[in-house]
Amino acid sequence: MSKLFHRLKSLYVLDSVLQTGSFSRAAERLYMTQSAVSQHIKQLEDELGPLFIRQTRSLQPTELAVHLQSHLQKGFTELEQGWAQASQPAQKVLTISVLPSFASNWLIPRLERFSTQHPEIELRLSMTDQQVDFERANIDAGIRYGLGNYPDLITRHLMDDYLFPVMSCQFPQNLTLDELTNYTLIRDNSGEHFNWEGWLALVGKADLQPKRYLTIFDSSMMIKAAMTGQGIALGRRSLVQDELISGLLCRPFAQEQELKSPFSYYLVMPPRSRHHKELKLFIAWLTEEINQFKKLSES
């Protein structure tokens, strides 16, 4: 019988020590005594050689331990995912990572249609601005906003995005570009080339100075600020189109004055999700929703 079979628990202990950086924290995580953790590591070191350089107040992994770590993380992650799927074979769960702004302004208002089409699927949204590590997280796919360079992931382009000014419909509707000097211009924390500076340069008003700038580090809240009349926002089409259709926001300038974003929306997934049946159904529904959205945006 393979030696690996007898060392599986010790390798799991090693993975915990490498993650936590100490024997004591690993013991707490595993509900073991510190001496038991030490014994498991000693058994591995007797066979493999030194795994840690033990110092007074720190534990430094050796080159051998660092080499093992990536294999341990991948192996135990796949085991946990396989166990979760095997222990709930009848449950059809789909977990998607998505940006909070895109989720609240675009995806969630449309999800009722997905639930109606596929009542058998439990959809779980993990909303975060951070890129998900699919090797460590139990996430099936993600919707990201970027340049499309996602190594080791299956990537599918969803849609491009455009920027243009939006404001409360209570504001005067026949503004000129020069009248922007009388208003607060609301922006998020995007770079200048993808913000008011970039749009003003596009329309030939690069030197225009507004009454003031208001910077809000959240795209959804920036749009809400515009809806409540706090200023004129530079909105992304993907986040404001529904509000324009419903009359909660208005466009003060011609529709052709749009700044194309260097970023686009992409669906990304790890190779393990390639044959995920529920994910395929979600992608088909999402593609149809995006096609309908594009038709409305361009009409």
Side-chain angles (χ1 to χ4, degrees), residues 215-269:
T215 302
I216 301 177
F217 285 65
D218 183 283
S219 297
S220 294
M221 297 307 296
M222 178 185 68
I223 299 307
K224 289 183 179 179
M227 289 168 55
T228 57
Q230 297 185 47
I232 301 176
L234 195 66
R236 300 208 309 258
R237 179 190 289 175
S238 61
L239 305 184
V240 302
Q241 188 63 35
D242 290 349
E243 284 72 16
L244 290 170
I245 293 173
S246 65
L248 293 173
L249 287 173
C250 288
R251 295 185 62 166
F253 304 113
Q255 190 161 344
E256 62 270 13
Q257 293 174 323
E258 296 183 348
L259 178 64
K260 188 177 187 301
S261 169
F263 306 121
S264 300
Y265 287 99
Y266 294 88
L267 183 115
V268 297
M269 71 180 85

Coordinates of all heavy atoms in Angstrom, one line a residue, residues 215-269:
T215 N -15.9 62.8 -5.4 CA -15.4 61.5 -5.7 C -16.0 60.5 -4.8 O -15.9 60.6 -3.5 CB -13.8 61.4 -5.6 OG1 -13.3 62.4 -6.5 CG2 -13.3 60.0 -6.0
I216 N -16.6 59.5 -5.3 CA -17.2 58.4 -4.5 C -16.7 57.1 -4.9 O -16.8 56.7 -6.1 CB -18.8 58.4 -4.7 CG1 -19.4 59.7 -4.2 CG2 -19.4 57.3 -3.9 CD1 -20.9 59.9 -4.4
F217 N -16.0 56.4 -4.0 CA -15.3 55.1 -4.3 C -16.2 53.9 -4.4 O -15.9 52.9 -3.9 CB -14.2 54.9 -3.2 CG -13.0 55.8 -3.4 CD1 -13.2 57.2 -3.2 CD2 -11.8 55.3 -3.7 CE1 -12.1 58.0 -3.3 CE2 -10.7 56.1 -3.8 CZ -10.8 57.5 -3.6
D218 N -17.4 54.1 -5.0 CA -18.3 53.0 -5.2 C -19.2 53.5 -6.4 O -19.9 54.4 -6.3 CB -19.1 52.8 -4.0 CG -20.1 51.6 -4.2 OD1 -21.1 51.8 -4.8 OD2 -19.8 50.5 -3.6
S219 N -19.2 52.7 -7.5 CA -19.9 53.1 -8.7 C -21.4 53.2 -8.5 O -22.1 54.1 -9.0 CB -19.6 52.2 -9.8 OG -18.2 52.2 -10.1
S220 N -22.0 52.2 -7.7 CA -23.4 52.2 -7.4 C -23.8 53.4 -6.6 O -24.8 54.1 -6.9 CB -23.8 50.9 -6.7 OG -23.6 49.8 -7.5
M221 N -23.1 53.8 -5.6 CA -23.4 55.0 -4.8 C -23.2 56.2 -5.6 O -23.9 57.2 -5.4 CB -22.5 55.0 -3.5 CG -22.7 53.8 -2.6 SD -24.5 53.6 -2.2 CE -24.8 55.1 -1.3
M222 N -22.3 56.3 -6.5 CA -22.1 57.4 -7.4 C -23.3 57.7 -8.2 O -23.8 58.8 -8.3 CB -20.9 57.2 -8.3 CG -20.6 58.3 -9.2 SD -19.3 58.0 -10.4 CE -20.0 56.7 -11.4
I223 N -23.9 56.6 -8.7 CA -25.1 56.8 -9.5 C -26.3 57.2 -8.6 O -27.1 58.1 -9.0 CB -25.5 55.4 -10.2 CG1 -24.3 55.0 -11.1 CG2 -26.8 55.5 -10.9 CD1 -23.9 56.1 -12.1
K224 N -26.4 56.7 -7.4 CA -27.4 57.2 -6.5 C -27.3 58.6 -6.2 O -28.3 59.3 -6.0 CB -27.4 56.3 -5.3 CG -27.9 54.9 -5.5 CD -27.9 54.1 -4.2 CE -28.4 52.6 -4.5 NZ -28.5 51.8 -3.3
A225 N -26.1 59.1 -6.0 CA -25.8 60.5 -5.8 C -26.3 61.4 -6.9 O -26.9 62.4 -6.7 CB -24.3 60.8 -5.5
A226 N -26.1 60.9 -8.1 CA -26.7 61.6 -9.3 C -28.2 61.6 -9.3 O -28.8 62.7 -9.6 CB -26.1 61.0 -10.6
M227 N -28.8 60.5 -9.0 CA -30.2 60.4 -9.0 C -30.9 61.3 -8.0 O -32.0 61.8 -8.2 CB -30.6 58.9 -8.7 CG -30.3 58.0 -9.8 SD -30.5 56.2 -9.3 CE -32.2 56.2 -8.7
T228 N -30.2 61.6 -6.9 CA -30.7 62.5 -5.8 C -30.3 64.0 -6.0 O -30.6 64.8 -5.2 CB -30.3 62.0 -4.4 OG1 -28.8 62.0 -4.4 CG2 -30.8 60.7 -4.1
G229 N -29.7 64.3 -7.2 CA -29.5 65.7 -7.5 C -28.2 66.3 -6.9 O -28.1 67.5 -6.9
Q230 N -27.3 65.4 -6.5 CA -26.1 66.0 -5.9 C -25.0 66.4 -6.9 O -24.0 67.0 -6.6 CB -25.5 64.9 -5.0 CG -26.4 64.6 -3.8 CD -25.7 63.6 -2.8 OE1 -24.5 63.8 -2.4 NE2 -26.4 62.6 -2.4
G231 N -25.3 66.2 -8.2 CA -24.4 66.6 -9.2 C -24.6 65.8 -10.5 O -25.6 65.0 -10.6
I232 N -23.7 65.9 -11.5 CA -23.8 65.2 -12.7 C -22.7 64.1 -12.7 O -21.5 64.4 -12.4 CB -23.6 66.1 -13.9 CG1 -24.6 67.2 -13.9 CG2 -23.6 65.3 -15.2 CD1 -24.5 68.2 -15.0
A233 N -23.1 62.9 -12.9 CA -22.1 61.7 -12.8 C -21.7 61.3 -14.1 O -22.4 61.4 -15.1 CB -22.7 60.6 -12.0
L234 N -20.5 60.7 -14.2 CA -20.1 60.1 -15.4 C -20.3 58.6 -15.2 O -19.6 57.9 -14.5 CB -18.6 60.3 -15.7 CG -18.1 60.0 -17.1 CD1 -18.7 60.9 -18.1 CD2 -16.6 60.1 -17.2
G235 N -21.4 58.1 -15.8 CA -21.9 56.7 -15.6 C -21.5 55.8 -16.7 O -21.3 56.1 -17.8
R236 N -21.3 54.5 -16.3 CA -21.1 53.4 -17.2 C -22.5 52.9 -17.7 O -23.4 52.7 -17.0 CB -20.3 52.3 -16.5 CG -19.0 52.7 -16.0 CD -18.0 51.5 -16.0 NE -18.5 50.3 -15.4 CZ -18.2 49.9 -14.1 NH1 -17.3 50.7 -13.4 NH2 -18.6 48.8 -13.6
R237 N -22.5 52.7 -19.0 CA -23.8 52.3 -19.6 C -24.3 51.0 -18.9 O -25.6 50.9 -18.6 CB -23.6 51.9 -21.1 CG -24.8 51.4 -21.8 CD -24.6 50.9 -23.2 NE -24.2 52.0 -24.1 CZ -23.8 51.7 -25.4 NH1 -23.7 50.5 -25.8 NH2 -23.6 52.7 -26.2
S238 N -23.5 50.1 -18.5 CA -24.0 48.9 -17.9 C -24.6 49.1 -16.6 O -25.5 48.3 -16.1 CB -22.8 47.9 -17.7 OG -21.8 48.5 -16.8
L239 N -24.3 50.2 -15.9 CA -24.8 50.5 -14.6 C -26.0 51.5 -14.6 O -26.6 51.7 -13.6 CB -23.7 51.0 -13.7 CG -22.5 50.1 -13.5 CD1 -21.5 50.7 -12.5 CD2 -22.8 48.7 -13.2
V240 N -26.2 52.2 -15.7 CA -27.2 53.3 -15.7 C -28.3 53.1 -16.7 O -29.3 53.9 -16.7 CB -26.5 54.7 -15.9 CG1 -25.5 55.0 -14.8 CG2 -25.9 54.8 -17.3
Q241 N -28.2 52.2 -17.6 CA -29.1 52.1 -18.7 C -30.6 51.8 -18.2 O -31.5 52.4 -18.7 CB -28.7 50.9 -19.7 CG -29.6 50.8 -20.9 CD -29.4 52.1 -21.8 OE1 -28.4 52.7 -21.9 NE2 -30.5 52.5 -22.5
D242 N -30.7 51.0 -17.2 CA -32.1 50.7 -16.7 C -32.7 52.0 -16.1 O -33.9 52.2 -16.2 CB -32.0 49.6 -15.6 CG -31.7 48.2 -16.3 OD1 -31.8 48.1 -17.5 OD2 -31.5 47.3 -15.5
E243 N -31.9 52.8 -15.4 CA -32.3 54.0 -14.8 C -32.7 55.0 -15.8 O -33.6 55.8 -15.7 CB -31.3 54.6 -13.8 CG -31.2 53.9 -12.5 CD -30.5 52.5 -12.6 OE1 -29.9 52.2 -13.6 OE2 -30.6 51.7 -11.6
L244 N -32.0 55.0 -17.0 CA -32.4 55.9 -18.1 C -33.7 55.6 -18.7 O -34.5 56.4 -19.0 CB -31.3 55.9 -19.1 CG -29.9 56.5 -18.8 CD1 -28.9 56.2 -19.8 CD2 -30.0 58.0 -18.6
I245 N -33.9 54.3 -18.8 CA -35.2 53.8 -19.4 C -36.4 54.1 -18.5 O -37.4 54.5 -18.9 CB -35.1 52.3 -19.7 CG1 -34.1 52.0 -20.8 CG2 -36.5 51.7 -20.1 CD1 -33.8 50.6 -21.1
S246 N -36.1 54.0 -17.2 CA -37.2 54.2 -16.2 C -37.5 55.6 -15.9 O -38.4 56.0 -15.3 CB -36.9 53.4 -14.9 OG -35.8 54.0 -14.3
G247 N -36.5 56.5 -16.4 CA -36.7 58.0 -16.1 C -36.1 58.4 -14.8 O -36.3 59.6 -14.4
L248 N -35.4 57.6 -14.1 CA -34.7 58.0 -12.9 C -33.5 58.8 -13.2 O -33.0 59.6 -12.3 CB -34.3 56.8 -12.1 CG -35.5 56.0 -11.5 CD1 -35.0 54.7 -10.8 CD2 -36.3 56.8 -10.5
L249 N -32.9 58.7 -14.4 CA -31.8 59.5 -14.8 C -32.0 60.0 -16.2 O -32.8 59.4 -17.0 CB -30.5 58.6 -14.8 CG -29.9 58.3 -13.4 CD1 -28.7 57.3 -13.6 CD2 -29.4 59.6 -12.7
C250 N -31.3 61.1 -16.6 CA -31.4 61.6 -17.9 C -30.0 61.9 -18.4 O -29.1 62.1 -17.6 CB -32.2 62.9 -17.9 SG -34.0 62.7 -17.7
R251 N -29.9 61.9 -19.8 CA -28.6 62.3 -20.4 C -28.7 63.7 -20.9 O -29.5 64.1 -21.7 CB -28.3 61.3 -21.6 CG -28.1 59.9 -21.2 CD -27.7 59.0 -22.4 NE -26.5 59.4 -23.0 CZ -25.8 58.7 -23.8 NH1 -26.3 57.5 -24.2 NH2 -24.7 59.1 -24.3
P252 N -27.7 64.5 -20.4 CA -27.8 65.9 -20.8 C -27.2 66.2 -22.2 O -27.4 67.3 -22.8 CB -27.0 66.6 -19.7 CG -26.0 65.6 -19.3 CD -26.7 64.3 -19.4
F253 N -26.5 65.3 -22.8 CA -25.8 65.6 -24.1 C -26.1 64.5 -25.1 O -26.6 63.4 -24.7 CB -24.3 65.7 -23.8 CG -23.9 66.7 -22.8 CD1 -23.4 66.4 -21.6 CD2 -24.2 68.1 -23.0 CE1 -23.1 67.3 -20.6 CE2 -23.9 69.0 -22.1 CZ -23.3 68.7 -20.9
A254 N -25.6 64.7 -26.3 CA -25.9 63.8 -27.4 C -25.4 62.4 -27.2 O -24.3 62.2 -26.6 CB -25.3 64.4 -28.7
Q255 N -26.1 61.4 -27.7 CA -25.8 60.0 -27.4 C -24.5 59.6 -28.0 O -23.8 58.7 -27.5 CB -26.9 59.1 -27.9 CG -26.8 57.7 -27.5 CD -28.1 56.9 -27.6 OE1 -29.2 57.6 -27.8 NE2 -28.0 55.6 -27.6
E256 N -24.0 60.3 -29.1 CA -22.8 59.9 -29.7 C -21.6 60.3 -28.9 O -20.4 59.9 -29.2 CB -22.7 60.4 -31.1 CG -22.7 61.9 -31.2 CD -24.1 62.5 -31.4 OE1 -25.0 61.8 -31.1 OE2 -24.2 63.7 -31.7
Q257 N -21.8 61.1 -27.9 CA -20.6 61.6 -27.1 C -20.4 60.6 -25.9 O -20.6 60.9 -24.7 CB -20.9 63.0 -26.5 CG -21.0 64.1 -27.6 CD -21.4 65.4 -27.1 OE1 -22.2 65.5 -26.2 NE2 -20.8 66.5 -27.6
E258 N -19.9 59.4 -26.3 CA -19.6 58.3 -25.3 C -18.1 58.0 -25.4 O -17.5 57.9 -26.5 CB -20.5 57.1 -25.7 CG -21.9 57.3 -25.5 CD -22.8 56.1 -25.8 OE1 -22.2 55.1 -26.3 OE2 -24.0 56.1 -25.5
L259 N -17.6 57.7 -24.2 CA -16.2 57.3 -24.1 C -16.1 55.8 -23.9 O -16.7 55.3 -23.0 CB -15.5 58.0 -22.9 CG -14.1 57.7 -22.6 CD1 -13.2 58.1 -23.8 CD2 -13.6 58.4 -21.3
K260 N -15.5 55.1 -24.9 CA -15.4 53.7 -24.8 C -14.5 53.3 -23.6 O -13.4 53.8 -23.6 CB -15.0 53.0 -26.1 CG -15.1 51.5 -26.1 CD -14.7 50.9 -27.4 CE -14.9 49.4 -27.4 NZ -14.2 48.7 -26.4
S261 N -14.9 52.4 -22.8 CA -14.1 51.9 -21.7 C -13.0 51.0 -22.2 O -13.2 50.2 -23.1 CB -14.9 51.2 -20.7 OG -14.1 50.5 -19.8
P262 N -11.8 51.1 -21.7 CA -10.7 50.1 -22.0 C -11.0 48.7 -21.5 O -10.4 47.7 -21.9 CB -9.5 50.7 -21.4 CG -10.0 51.5 -20.3 CD -11.3 52.1 -20.7
F263 N -12.0 48.7 -20.5 CA -12.3 47.4 -19.9 C -13.6 46.9 -20.4 O -14.5 47.6 -20.9 CB -12.4 47.6 -18.4 CG -11.2 48.2 -17.7 CD1 -11.3 49.4 -17.0 CD2 -10.0 47.6 -17.9 CE1 -10.2 50.0 -16.5 CE2 -8.8 48.2 -17.3 CZ -8.9 49.3 -16.6
S264 N -13.8 45.6 -20.4 CA -15.0 44.9 -20.7 C -15.4 43.9 -19.7 O -14.6 43.6 -18.8 CB -14.9 44.2 -22.1 OG -14.5 45.1 -23.1
Y265 N -16.6 43.4 -19.8 CA -17.1 42.3 -18.9 C -16.7 41.0 -19.5 O -17.0 40.7 -20.7 CB -18.6 42.4 -18.6 CG -19.0 43.6 -17.8 CD1 -19.4 44.8 -18.3 CD2 -18.8 43.5 -16.4 CE1 -19.8 45.9 -17.5 CE2 -19.2 44.6 -15.6 CZ -19.7 45.8 -16.2 OH -20.0 46.9 -15.4
Y266 N -16.2 40.1 -18.6 CA -15.8 38.8 -19.0 C -16.4 37.8 -18.0 O -16.4 38.0 -16.8 CB -14.3 38.6 -19.1 CG -13.7 39.4 -20.2 CD1 -13.3 40.7 -19.9 CD2 -13.4 38.9 -21.4 CE1 -12.6 41.5 -20.9 CE2 -12.8 39.7 -22.4 CZ -12.4 41.0 -22.1 OH -11.8 41.7 -23.1
L267 N -16.8 36.6 -18.6 CA -17.1 35.5 -17.7 C -15.9 34.6 -17.7 O -15.3 34.3 -18.7 CB -18.3 34.7 -18.3 CG -18.7 33.5 -17.3 CD1 -20.1 33.7 -16.7 CD2 -18.6 32.2 -18.0
V268 N -15.5 34.3 -16.5 CA -14.3 33.4 -16.3 C -14.6 32.2 -15.5 O -15.5 32.3 -14.6 CB -13.1 34.2 -15.7 CG1 -12.7 35.4 -16.5 CG2 -13.5 34.7 -14.3
M269 N -13.9 31.1 -15.8 CA -14.2 29.9 -15.0 C -12.9 29.0 -15.0 O -12.1 29.1 -15.9 CB -15.3 29.1 -15.6 CG -15.0 28.5 -16.9 SD -16.4 27.5 -17.6 CE -17.3 28.9 -18.5

